[in-house]
Amino acid sequence: MTVGKALPRIRSVSFNDGYEVAVTWDAATRDGRTDAVDLAPLIFRLKFYAPLRDDRRLMATVRAIDEGTAIAWGDGDVDMAATSVLDLAEESMTAADFSEFMTRHGFTFDRIAAELGISKRLAGYYAAGRSVPRYIALACALMDLQLQRKPVAPALDRRAVSHGAATLPSDRDARVPFGTLERRGRDDVAREMLDPVKDTRERADRVQGGVDRLAVGTGHEP
């Protein structure tokens, strides 16, 4: 009998560069894929990992321990649970992930560039193989959560409201009867459309946690 969720296990790990490691998971964890995982958010947030911050040689000694349930450096005094590594891996994005995200939501390069506040050329670089920054991955995760339910309504077209119907700029055929907005209040309707459904609340909290950890690691406010 299995109680609870099985622990993630790492098949192998090697040092890439900076604070990034290449992690290959076992078949039961992320389908055995290999991820490039940036450990900087944890290394700079927790004092326990201070020895790794300025010691490239120590970073290069990374290895899997305890049957793949953790990784360690040096003589083993500094270690990190596989669950923590997995959290960071799930907050990262490869070029293939970025392309699949665009395809899944039917985004053009113009659309994804506008959503992320980046240039169309840069979006193309990410899809073609350039390393995707963690803040971009987290932004895409937030969009995933929003798009899981009915299309999220952007700002209402004020000109349409004045003529009796609120038009959604992203879909000119979708209209919200003005009477509905008038009876229930525009803020209430917008709040219902934008608030994540209950079964995604836990994922939303995890993504926000990733944003907070990123802010701490870079020294900027989220």
Side-chain angles (χ1 to χ4, degrees), residues 36-216:
V37 184
D38 183 5
L39 304 179
L42 283 181
I43 290 174
F44 284 94
R45 182 163 63 94
L46 302 176
K47 292 182 179 180
F48 178 72
Y49 297 112
L52 298 173
R53 295 173 187 172
D54 300 309
D55 194 335
R56 182 182 177 88
R57 290 184 179 179
L58 182 59
M59 277 293 302
T61 64
V62 65
R63 64 193 183 281
I65 62 170
D66 297 338
E67 299 182 340
T69 59
I71 59 176
W73 292 265
D75 57 10
D77 287 341
V78 181
D79 58 15
M80 184 180 295
T83 51
S84 297
V85 180
L86 180 60
D87 285 343
L88 292 175
E90 291 179 339
E91 293 166 2
S92 65
M93 177 177 271
T94 65
D97 293 334
F98 186 80
S99 295
E100 193 276 332
F101 170 82
M102 290 182 58
T103 301
R104 185 167 68 251
H105 296 301
F107 284 173
T108 63
F109 283 110
D110 284 324
R111 173 69 184 278
I112 192 64
E115 293 285 352
L116 295 174
I118 60 177
S119 69
K120 178 180 176 181
R121 177 178 294 183
L122 186 54
Y125 287 155
Y126 292 153
R130 177 178 290 188
S131 178
V132 180
R134 192 159 173 269
Y135 75 92
I136 293 291
L138 290 170
C140 290
L142 285 171
M143 279 192 281
D144 259 335
L145 292 174
Q146 292 176 331
L147 294 170
Q148 280 184 1
R149 58 180 319 205
K150 294 179 180 179
V152 175
L156 300 178
D157 189 326
R158 295 181 181 277
R159 291 173 300 177
V161 170
S162 67
H163 288 86
T167 303
L168 307 181
S170 61
D171 184 356
R172 292 293 175 180
D173 294 327
R175 291 174 179 272
V176 178
F178 181 64
T180 299
L181 298 179
E182 188 176 38
R183 287 194 303 272
R184 300 173 58 192
R186 299 176 200 170
D187 290 343
D188 291 339
V189 173
R191 188 177 300 110
E192 287 183 13
M193 300 178 80
L194 291 171
D195 187 40
V197 291
K198 291 182 180 179
D199 61 355
T200 64
R201 180 69 63 186
E202 182 178 348
R203 287 187 58 206
D205 290 342
R206 283 193 60 193
V207 171
Q208 183 59 56
V211 174
D212 294 340
R213 288 194 295 273
L214 177 65
V216 172

